[in-house]
Amino acid sequence: MKNDCRQGWTRFIPQGIPCLLIVFALFAYLSSVMGLPNMLNTIMKTAHDLLLNTVFYLMGICVITGAIGRLFVEFGVVNLLERLLRPLMRPLFHLPGVASLGAVMTFLSDNPAIISLSQDKRFCSYFKKYQYISLTNFGTAFGMGLLVIVFMVGQGYYAAPFIGLFGAFCGCIVSTRLMQRFVLKAYPRYATEAAYTEDEEDAATDADDANAANGKSLFLRTLDSLLDGGRTGVDVGIAIIPGVLVISTFVMILTFGPADDGAYTGAAYQGVELLPWLAGQVNIIFEWLFGFTDPHLVAFPITALGAVGAALSLVPNFIEQGWVDGNAIAVFTAIGMCWSGYLSTHTAMLDSLGYRELTSKAILAHTVGGIAAAVVAHLAYMLYACF
C-alpha cells in the first residue's frame, strides 16, 4: 500500500511542481508590473468585454455563415464548386478531385468538417493512404475561411482579405505536399495502399439519401437549411468562447500597455507589452517576411496557433490603435485561415483518422505552410499596392 502511494506521489510531483512554478511566475511578473488589484481587475474586465463585444459578434457571423453554408449544401452549390475546383486538385495538391469538397466544407464551417467527411467510406475510397492522411493539413488550411473573410470585410477592408485568401491557398499547397512527403518517407508502402476499399453494400447506400429531400417543398427545404445551419453556427460560436476569453485575455495583457498617462488603473485591455518587446528584438524578421509595421501585430499569428476566433478578437483593438494597414489584414487573413487553431485541432483530427503518431509531422508541415501563406500574402499585397 505504501509503495502504491509513493509511486502515485512520484508520478504527479514532477508534473505538478513545474506547473505551479510557471503559473506563479507568470502572475508574479504581471502583478509586479501592474499591481495585484489592477491585474485581477484587468483580467476580469477584459474577459467580460471580449464576451459581450467580440464573442457575440463572432457568434452572429457564425450563425449567418452557417446558415448560408447549409443552404449551399442543400441546393447543390457545394457540388457545383467541387466540380469547378476538381481540376486543380491533382496538379496542385496531388489529391483526387473529390478532395475539393473538403476544402469547400471547411471553408464554409471549420476544420473538423474534414473529419466527418473523411469518415464517409465512399469518399475515402478515392484516396491512397498518404493522401488520406494529408487531408488533415489540407482541410485545416481553409478552416473558418468564410468567417475570417466576412469579419475582415466588416472591418472596412475589401481587397486585402481576398489577397489573404490567395496566400492561404498557396500555404495549403506547401503544407499538404510537405505532409505527404513526410508520410511517404516514414511509410513508403502508403504510396500504393488504398485508404479504403469500397464494397457493394457501401456503393448501394446513396439512393435513399439522394431522394430524402424529394418529399419536402422548396420553402421547407430552405427553412430547414437556414435553421439547421444557424444552429451549427451557434455551436461554433459557443465553442470559440474559451479560446477567446482565455487565450485572447492573456495575449492582450502581454501585448498592450498601461493607460495614456503611464499608470495602471485596472481597466480592460491594459498590459505589460511583453510580446511587442520580444518581437522588437527580432522585428526585422517580421518586417521582412510579413511586412508588419508594428511589433504588436505579432500577437495575431501567435494567437491563431490556438484559435483563429481568438485571433480575430484582437483586430478591432489593433485598428483602434492605428497599427493595422491593408498589408496586415492580408497577412492576418492568410495566416488566420491557414493555421486556424491547428495546434488545438491536429491531434484530435489525426486521432480520429487513426494516425495519431503522425501528429508532430502534421504540425511541422502546417507551421511551414502558415508562414508560406503569410509571406505570399505580403508579396501579393505589395504587388497589388503598386497598381
Side-chain angles (χ1 to χ4, degrees), residues 179-242:
M179 181 58 181
Q180 292 173 357
R181 185 182 181 91
F182 287 160
V183 174
L184 288 176
K185 186 176 180 180
Y187 303 99
R189 67 182 186 278
Y190 284 1
T192 56
E193 290 184 10
Y196 178 78
T197 302
E198 188 176 38
D199 55 31
E200 294 181 0
E201 183 179 351
D202 292 328
T205 56
D206 275 339
D208 292 338
D209 293 337
N211 296 320
N214 290 344
K216 294 184 178 180
S217 66
L218 179 64
F219 173 76
L220 285 178
R221 290 176 64 192
T222 302
L223 185 63
D224 287 347
S225 300
L226 293 175
L227 295 180
D228 290 343
R231 191 177 301 112
T232 302
V234 173
D235 294 337
V236 174
I238 292 176
I240 68 175
I241 290 177

Side-chain angles (χ1 to χ4, degrees), residues 129-142:
K129 278 191 177 180
Y130 77 98
Q131 296 173 325
Y132 179 70
I133 296 169
S134 69
L135 282 176
T136 298
N137 294 64
F138 176 75
T140 300
F142 297 102

Side-chain angles (χ1 to χ4, degrees), residues 108-335:
L108 294 175
S109 54
D110 198 358
N111 306 349
I114 200 70
I115 299 178
S116 59
L117 193 61
S118 65
Q119 302 303 317
D120 188 311
K121 296 177 181 179
R122 296 178 299 275
F123 178 79
C124 297
S125 64
Y126 290 94
F127 295 84
K128 301 299 182 183
K129 278 191 177 180
Y130 77 98
Q131 296 173 325
Y132 179 70
I133 296 169
S134 69
L135 282 176
T136 298
N137 294 64
F138 176 75
T140 300
F142 297 102
M144 298 184 71
L146 182 61
L147 170 64
V148 173
I149 291 176
V150 170
F151 180 85
M152 295 303 186
V153 171
Q155 303 303 310
Y157 296 88
Y158 304 103
F162 293 96
I163 295 174
L165 174 61
F166 172 73
F169 185 85
C170 296
C172 182
I173 296 174
V174 173
S175 176
T176 304
R177 298 298 289 260
L178 189 58
M179 181 58 181
Q180 292 173 357
R181 185 182 181 91
F182 287 160
V183 174
L184 288 176
K185 186 176 180 180
Y187 303 99
R189 67 182 186 278
Y190 284 1
T192 56
E193 290 184 10
Y196 178 78
T197 302
E198 188 176 38
D199 55 31
E200 294 181 0
E201 183 179 351
D202 292 328
T205 56
D206 275 339
D208 292 338
D209 293 337
N211 296 320
N214 290 344
K216 294 184 178 180
S217 66
L218 179 64
F219 173 76
L220 285 178
R221 290 176 64 192
T222 302
L223 185 63
D224 287 347
S225 300
L226 293 175
L227 295 180
D228 290 343
R231 191 177 301 112
T232 302
V234 173
D235 294 337
V236 174
I238 292 176
I240 68 175
I241 290 177
V244 172
L245 298 192
V246 177
I247 299 175
S248 290
T249 296
F250 281 97
V251 168
M252 287 182 175
I253 287 178
L254 297 175
T255 300
F256 295 105
D260 293 337
D261 59 1
Y264 288 100
T265 62
Y269 304 112
Q270 293 184 354
V272 296
E273 294 186 293
L274 177 62
L275 287 181
W277 179 83
L278 293 174
Q281 308 307 306
V282 290
N283 190 46
I284 189 172
I285 297 177
F286 296 105
E287 184 175 351
W288 181 66
L289 288 178
F290 303 158
F292 285 171
T293 57
D294 191 285
H296 292 85
L297 300 180
V298 73
F300 186 96
I302 291 175
T303 308
L305 290 169
V308 68
L312 291 176
S313 68
L314 303 174
V315 175
N317 287 283
F318 286 172
I319 295 174
E320 184 178 349
Q321 297 295 331
W323 298 331
V324 169
D325 56 9
N327 175 79
I329 293 296
V331 173
F332 286 173
T333 304
I335 206 166

